[in-house]
Amino acid sequence: MSIIYDFVTLENQIEHDLEHTLEHKKQFSTPKIYSAKGDLSKRWYVYFSFRNPATGKLQRMKNIYGIANKFDTREDRMTVLTCYRINLIRLLKKGYSPFEDNSELHTNLSSCNEQRRRLQSIQKGNEEEIPYSSYFDGTETPKDHAGLDTNLASCNEQPDRLQPESNVDDESSIEEIPTSIKNSTVVATDISSTVATVKATSATSENPEIVGGEDKSQINTPKKTPPIATAQPTSVATGNTTPKLKEEMAFALSLKKQVISPRTLRDYTSSANTFIEWLKIHKSELQQASDINRMTCIAYLNSIASRSSARNRNNHKVNLSSLFEVLKENEVVTENYFKKISKLKSIPKRNRRYTLEEQERIFKYLETKDPVLLLYIKCISYAFLRPIEVCRLKVKDIDLNNKTLHFQAKNKAHKIKMIPQLLLDDLGDISHLKKENVLFTPEGLGKEWVATVESRRDYFSKRFKKVVKDTFDFDENYGLYSFRHTYVTKLYRQLIKEHAPYAAKSKLMLITGHTTMTALEKYLRQIDAELPEDYSDML
């Protein structure tokens, strides 16, 4: 055994050559395959590091995904990634550098591939692969194709400047890829498309190293591999250039538009525009979504929290996280940093409920001052609707025969509620009104009114402030929503007198529209609907 060891280590390399080789630092690490310990729910990829000529340190290059993650079995993914790894090793040995212009290398590889294809065709006897006219213009000779063999031999020569590769990454010397390098003419992000230009061969001695856990197993190169083409993310940009951040955000919004409401789309658009404007001022060197890191996201959210509130900061986080998740799914970015940032604790602003005396004074005042606003408030109070849900109501949504109303709720696209007789008596006969008209308008019930739902809600909020809040001197803690809290409390306290607590809440759920007992109990605690009896005798 010792004889074999001596032969391997010393026979083919004299001491001088060994010293000469080791005094030069390796230019790149051996490409490896990350298999996530066999977890198919995670993304698999090939990764490697290359020495940055500016810093002299190995830098981790962008992961190569290609189409591997479109396959559902471990064998298929390994087949694709093994091919990527072999092609990448071949490119690195031929002189590929993510920090230099590789145009000449790309041209030489394309020429070699074409010559190899033509030689194989000739060897198979398929003379049609070469145009017959080329035999007369001096570009080809029918019988002598030795030149092709010579050219192919030169294609396989290794550049002198390459250094021997290493099987172990020097993780301590790896640093992030600077933006200036990412924006260069040919960078590491383009390696997947470069790999696809080189044809995979089945005869090879290379064995991939699978990195997914503590142990690394070797997988033999498959004899046959499916056609491989790199998956390019869909975007709104033209050509092969990476879309800029604004275009990437527009792309994400265009996909989200199909699954969210117009109001939510406006919120997403506003958050995206605010983020882009902030980057222009504070991080102008970042030109695309892949340039953004975790610290940039945290700095932006901190700026929102410092000038507004924790709640607004959390809303921006949720909106941008949703957009970056779309970019991640389309492989525009590799990580959604907003998703992993924690929410800040915020105290939600709750409207206080009115006392019974205050509620009665308001109703009595509005009977003569503003009957339309009073009926609007009664829909909130008696039917337990939210103000925006009342604004969505149309005449056709009121079913007088079955005493029901149809509306779009906060958590459901279509919902049906019973209309109490008390509210039906106040509505009166509306059968003569146009079915498509909005139920509540500035001029009365069922009139013509062209306005968005948000505009209608804002109108009645301002009308309530002018007619009620300013008259009775209520502060910002009171609003239209307060009537819903008031009547839920009033109804619950009446039910608890006649039923056990759980039975009372079960009946209340059907009336308020809460989908779970937990949600109802949380709501009752927030509005302090349930208070204990006098406990003076216990003190």
Side-chain angles (χ1 to χ4, degrees):
M1 184 66 186
S2 60
I3 298 175
I4 297 176
Y5 179 81
D6 292 340
F7 177 80
V8 171
T9 56
L10 297 176
E11 179 67 16
N12 292 322
Q13 188 174 36
I14 62 175
E15 183 178 357
H16 173 75
D17 292 338
L18 184 62
E19 291 178 354
H20 179 74
T21 300
L22 293 179
E23 70 181 7
H24 295 283
K25 294 182 179 180
K26 58 187 178 182
Q27 291 298 105
F28 55 86
S29 64
T30 302
K32 299 176 182 179
I33 296 175
Y34 175 75
S35 62
K37 296 183 179 180
D39 188 354
L40 294 174
S41 64
K42 297 181 179 179
R43 298 204 296 175
W44 297 19
Y45 52 83
V46 176
Y47 69 95
F48 74 106
S49 301
F50 202 96
R51 189 168 301 282
N52 188 331
T55 63
K57 296 181 180 181
L58 286 176
Q59 280 186 189
R60 175 74 171 264
M61 298 293 103
K62 190 171 182 179
N63 301 332
I64 301 172
Y65 300 94
I67 62 171
N69 295 301
K70 293 185 177 180
F71 294 94
D72 299 328
T73 64
R74 185 178 186 274
E75 292 75 15
D76 290 341
R77 288 194 182 185
M78 287 306 307
T79 298
V80 176
L81 291 176
T82 299
C83 187
Y84 287 171
R85 178 180 180 273
I86 293 172
N87 289 338
L88 176 58
I89 291 174
R90 183 178 293 112
L91 282 174
L92 291 171
K93 287 183 177 180
K94 288 185 179 296
Y96 174 84
S97 172
F99 299 95
E100 298 177 3
D101 187 349
N102 298 279
S103 301
E104 183 178 355
L105 174 62
H106 183 272
T107 302
N108 292 338
L109 287 175
S110 300
S111 176
C112 290
N113 288 335
E114 176 63 21
Q115 293 178 21
R116 185 179 291 109
R117 183 189 66 81
R118 296 171 69 186
L119 182 59
Q120 290 173 350
S121 299
I122 294 170
Q123 292 172 347
K124 292 178 181 179
N126 187 5
E127 295 295 337
E128 295 181 359
E129 292 292 331
I130 301 177
Y132 185 75
S133 58
S134 62
Y135 295 147
F136 296 93
D137 58 12
T139 59
E140 294 289 346
T141 57
K143 297 181 180 180
D144 185 11
H145 298 286
L148 286 176
D149 295 301
T150 303
N151 292 334
L152 286 174
S154 64
C155 289
N156 295 324
E157 292 179 359
Q158 304 296 325
D160 294 336
R161 68 180 184 87
L162 286 179
Q163 306 300 331
E165 56 185 76
S166 171
N167 291 328
V168 181
D169 286 337
D170 185 6
E171 298 292 343
S172 60
S173 63
I174 295 176
E175 59 185 16
E176 294 294 328
I177 305 172
T179 305
S180 59
I181 295 175
K182 286 186 178 181
N183 295 333
S184 61
T185 305
V186 179
V187 295
T189 55
D190 297 323
I191 187 65
S192 57
S193 59
T194 307
V195 169
T197 61
V198 182
K199 296 183 179 180
T201 58
S202 59
T204 177
S205 60
E206 294 288 344
N207 290 323
E209 296 186 37
I210 298 147
V211 183
E214 295 297 329
D215 58 329
K216 300 179 182 180
S217 59
Q218 292 189 347
I219 304 295
N220 292 330
T221 305
K223 294 182 179 181
K224 295 184 179 180
T225 58
I228 296 175
T230 56
Q232 299 295 336
T234 308
S235 66
V236 296
T238 57
N240 297 324
T241 59
T242 304
K244 298 303 181 182
L245 180 59
K246 192 171 183 180
E247 295 173 337
E248 291 169 334
M249 286 297 185
F251 164 63
L253 287 168
S254 67
L255 294 183
K256 274 293 181 181
K257 182 180 180 181
Q258 311 301 324
V259 295
I260 60 177
S261 65
R263 172 58 189 272
T264 305
L265 180 63
R266 286 197 295 272
D267 291 342
Y268 282 10
T269 305
S270 177
S271 296
N273 289 335
T274 305
F275 183 47
I276 292 172
E277 291 302 319
W278 182 87
L279 289 174
K280 287 181 180 178
I281 298 173
H282 301 280
K283 298 285 184 178
S284 58
E285 70 276 9
L286 305 182
Q287 297 297 320
Q288 55 195 35
S290 59
D291 297 338
I292 298 171
N293 56 29
R294 178 181 173 85
M295 290 307 300
T296 301
C297 299
I298 293 175
Y300 169 71
L301 294 177
N302 289 342
S303 69
I304 296 295
S306 63
R307 68 173 184 263
S308 56
S309 64
R311 182 181 180 182
N312 189 33
R313 178 259 192 199
N314 292 339
N315 290 339
H316 276 266
K317 172 195 172 306
V318 172
N319 295 343
L320 291 172
S321 175
S322 182
L323 293 178
F324 270 80
E325 192 64 24
V326 173
L327 297 179
K328 181 180 177 181
E329 291 173 355
N330 288 272
E331 298 191 1
V332 178
V333 298
T334 58
E335 191 65 55
N336 180 5
Y337 295 108
F338 284 104
K339 186 176 182 179
K340 297 182 178 180
I341 297 175
S342 302
K343 284 187 177 182
L344 292 182
K345 183 178 180 180
S346 61
I347 302 176
K349 184 178 179 181
R350 292 286 177 183
N351 289 315
R352 295 180 182 177
R353 64 174 187 269
Y354 298 104
T355 63
L356 296 179
E357 294 78 12
E358 290 170 340
Q359 174 260 310
E360 290 175 356
R361 282 193 294 127
I362 293 172
F363 277 28
K364 187 175 181 180
Y365 174 75
L366 291 178
E367 285 177 358
T368 56
K369 185 67 175 178
D370 196 337
V372 175
L373 182 58
L374 176 59
L375 188 57
Y376 181 89
I377 293 173
K378 285 182 176 179
C379 280
I380 299 173
S381 305
Y382 299 161
F384 299 99
L385 299 176
R386 299 174 179 86
I388 195 167
E389 293 170 350
V390 179
C391 292
R392 291 194 185 109
L393 290 177
K394 293 184 177 181
V395 175
K396 67 178 181 180
D397 296 330
I398 309 299
D399 188 349
L400 296 176
N401 295 329
N402 297 310
K403 298 182 180 181
T404 59
L405 60 86
H406 302 252
F407 66 100
Q408 179 185 342
K410 178 181 180 180
N411 55 358
K412 198 172 182 180
H414 181 255
K415 200 166 187 177
I416 303 175
K417 271 192 176 184
M418 292 294 298
I419 305 176
Q421 189 61 45
L422 190 63
L423 182 57
L424 281 174
D425 295 339
D426 291 333
L427 280 174
D429 184 15
I430 59 173
S431 58
H432 62 283
L433 302 176
K434 292 183 178 180
K435 301 298 182 181
E436 293 296 329
N437 284 357
V438 179
L439 182 60
F440 287 97
T441 70
E443 303 301 326
L445 299 181
K447 305 294 183 180
E448 295 285 346
W449 190 20
V450 180
T452 62
V453 176
E454 289 77 16
S455 297
R456 296 198 291 267
R457 180 184 60 180
D458 292 342
Y459 169 80
F460 278 104
S461 297
K462 293 176 181 178
R463 184 165 170 170
F464 175 77
K465 180 181 183 304
K466 180 179 179 181
V467 178
V468 177
K469 292 182 67 173
D470 293 347
T471 302
F472 293 92
D473 197 24
F474 288 117
D475 59 22
E476 68 276 2
N477 294 313
Y478 295 88
L480 288 167
Y481 214 104
S482 299
F483 288 103
R484 189 171 190 263
H485 302 334
T486 301
Y487 274 82
V488 168
T489 303
K490 185 176 181 180
L491 183 59
Y492 176 69
R493 290 180 179 177
Q494 189 64 35
L495 288 171
I496 204 70
K497 293 178 182 179
E498 304 172 2
H499 304 85
Y502 189 83
K505 293 174 184 176
S506 297
K507 288 181 177 292
L508 187 61
M509 274 183 62
L510 297 175
I511 299 173
T512 61
H514 288 88
T515 56
T516 64
M517 182 64 71
T518 302
L520 176 61
E521 290 175 341
K522 182 180 179 182
Y523 173 68
L524 293 175
R525 287 195 300 269
Q526 288 173 342
I527 65 175
D528 295 324
E530 189 173 10
L531 296 176
E533 296 180 357
D534 186 16
Y535 50 89
S536 298
D537 57 333
M538 301 179 186
L539 299 176

